[in-house]
Amino acid sequence: MSQRGFKADHGRSRGVIELSARRTREVFCPEVGPMEAVPSVWLFEGLERRSVRLQDGRVVKLSVDVKDLPPGQEGFSKYHAGKDRMVVALSSATYGQLELNDGRARFTLAHEIGHVVLHCNELERLGTLPHAAGAMARAARRGHAVFRDCEWQANAFASAFLMPARGIKQMMAEGSLRYLNLGQALSSNYVVSDMAARIRADVYRKDEAKLVNETRY
Amino acid sequence: MAATEKFGPLLRHLRLNAGKSMGDLARHLGVSVPYISDVEHGRRAPLARHRILDTARFLGIEPSTLLVSATQSRGVLDIEGNPSEHAVEVGMNFAGAMGRLSESQLNQIARILEAEED
């Protein structure tokens, strides 16, 4: 998931992505507070009843799919022009892991949600291109800045969606987390992998104010 | 949701309303999760009649809506058992005429079938 992807239409700071992830969480999981872990399978299945809004104001419904994918491919998101749906697809293996509340599978799902939320316009455009042209556009590796990269943005979204900065701040204020063991505490509280939790803890320590205040820069 | 809705989206709608995941239904029917996803996306034919009946029991719903939708999606009727030549002939005549029958005639036939099920 550290691979560079195609260039997003807009560069996004971590603060902007934090805001987008919080709003998405509030709509997709309204019953889950910022200090709680989002559900796994029911977050995925429930996407069927959610939608995203394109830049031109058009609302596109989401749909979910489970497919037998080649080894190593955990999921993907795309725009299905025929059905006018944004599709979040998981591999059969990832779905199975999601049923077991596996941290990596949860991150994969949140990453794909990040794509349909942040990159719905790009997906709509690429999804309607002929397959070969779409594949070429997706495979394009350009020398763009990291904050302009779709994969980086989707990873930052997944991290913020699963482990909201406001929730972390609240838990620390209540003394229910020990700062030195932040990564471990995040992994256990939000049901994410040790690696995802460690990265989030490092980012949080470095940029706490920007994340909590959801600042643009 | 109307009975004429396509089978796949109808199944997904009824399954979600019943609070069952694709994994729950797949395990109950002894099929894979991608199989259920394929059926719900219309990439595979609707479930066979016995699986629809099993699914309806699992979801706690009446099977009629799913059965009607499956028949309309397939454009064919499932024939159970080993009917006689005469039974097939009557069935074919009925299939050919059912679009022209009045509500009252259809109700008469439905009553005969209900009495037979009892």
Side-chain angles (χ1 to χ4, degrees):
Chain A
M1 275 180 281
S2 60
Q3 276 184 333
R4 294 288 290 277
F6 60 88
K7 189 178 179 181
D9 286 353
H10 306 285
R12 292 179 173 92
S13 68
R14 282 197 186 275
V16 165
I17 292 173
E18 186 78 32
L19 173 64
S20 178
R22 176 170 64 81
R23 287 181 174 161
T24 305
R25 206 177 138 111
E26 285 168 0
V27 175
F28 286 16
C29 320
E31 71 290 352
V32 181
M35 293 196 293
E36 296 169 303
V38 294
S40 297
V41 166
W42 282 106
L43 169 62
F44 177 62
E45 302 257 0
L47 293 178
E48 200 66 34
R49 290 172 171 166
R50 306 292 177 202
S51 54
V52 290
R53 188 182 292 275
L54 300 180
Q55 211 165 13
D56 62 10
R58 197 158 61 83
V59 173
V60 179
K61 288 182 174 177
L62 304 187
S63 187
V64 301
D65 202 357
V66 179
K67 297 175 87 76
D68 286 318
L69 298 176
Q73 192 178 352
E74 293 162 278
F76 64 86
S77 41
K78 69 168 188 179
Y79 173 66
H80 191 301
K83 293 184 177 173
D84 190 28
R85 294 265 183 146
M86 290 289 165
V87 181
V88 173
L90 294 180
S91 72
S92 174
T94 302
Y95 182 90
Q97 289 299 106
L98 201 60
E99 288 193 298
L100 301 174
N101 244 2
D102 173 72
R104 186 182 171 95
R106 287 165 57 77
F107 195 90
T108 299
L109 171 59
H111 175 98
E112 298 307 333
I113 292 174
H115 277 315
V116 294
V117 169
L118 299 176
H119 309 130
C120 50
N121 297 295
E122 289 92 328
L123 285 172
E124 196 244 3
R125 212 168 52 239
L126 290 169
T128 53
L129 287 172
H131 181 75
M136 280 172 66
R138 282 191 290 275
R141 297 285 185 271
R142 302 194 180 98
H144 50 261
V146 68
F147 61 87
R148 193 86 196 258
D149 187 81
C150 279
E151 296 308 310
W152 180 86
Q153 291 182 0
N155 277 345
F157 180 97
S159 190
F161 183 84
L162 293 168
M163 300 167 272
R166 290 183 177 196
I168 302 172
K169 186 180 171 69
Q170 217 172 320
M171 282 189 284
M172 289 174 70
E174 289 176 5
S176 53
L177 287 181
R178 283 191 301 146
Y179 201 81
L180 285 175
N181 293 322
L182 186 57
Q184 215 174 350
L186 294 183
S187 167
S188 137
N189 189 73
Y190 288 113
V191 196
V192 295
S193 70
D194 289 345
M195 187 195 282
R198 211 164 42 240
I199 292 171
R200 180 61 167 167
D202 289 346
V203 169
Y204 184 84
R205 285 193 191 98
K206 189 167 156 276
D207 280 334
E208 179 186 335
K210 287 180 192 168
L211 295 178
V212 172
N213 298 321
E214 297 162 350
T215 52
R216 188 163 290 273
Y217 299 104
Chain B
M1 192 162 280
T4 50
E5 172 145 356
K6 284 185 178 169
F7 183 84
L10 176 64
L11 174 62
R12 177 159 288 190
H13 175 81
L14 295 172
R15 177 179 60 71
L16 288 172
N17 274 1
K20 301 290 185 190
S21 69
M22 279 187 269
D24 294 334
L25 181 57
R27 276 185 294 278
H28 180 78
L29 296 178
V31 298
S32 70
V33 176
Y35 181 92
I36 296 295
S37 196
D38 282 351
V39 170
E40 292 186 346
H41 277 281
R43 292 189 296 261
R44 277 181 189 262
L47 298 175
R49 182 184 165 84
H50 73 279
R51 280 197 166 138
I52 290 178
L53 296 177
D54 198 2
T55 297
R57 273 193 298 274
F58 183 61
L59 301 182
I61 57 170
E62 285 296 318
S64 53
T65 317
L66 282 171
L67 287 169
V68 169
S69 176
T71 300
Q72 288 175 337
S73 292
R74 287 173 188 276
V76 295
L77 292 166
D78 290 332
I79 296 175
E80 286 185 332
N82 190 18
S84 68
E85 210 169 298
H86 183 222
V88 171
E89 189 187 335
V90 172
M92 296 289 283
N93 286 340
F94 172 70
M98 67 182 175
R100 301 191 299 275
L101 296 177
S102 67
E103 264 314 290
S104 127
Q105 287 172 313
L106 288 171
N107 285 337
Q108 282 178 37
I109 295 169
R111 276 197 294 275
I112 294 171
L113 294 174
E114 278 164 15
E116 187 270 336
E117 277 176 10
D118 293 340

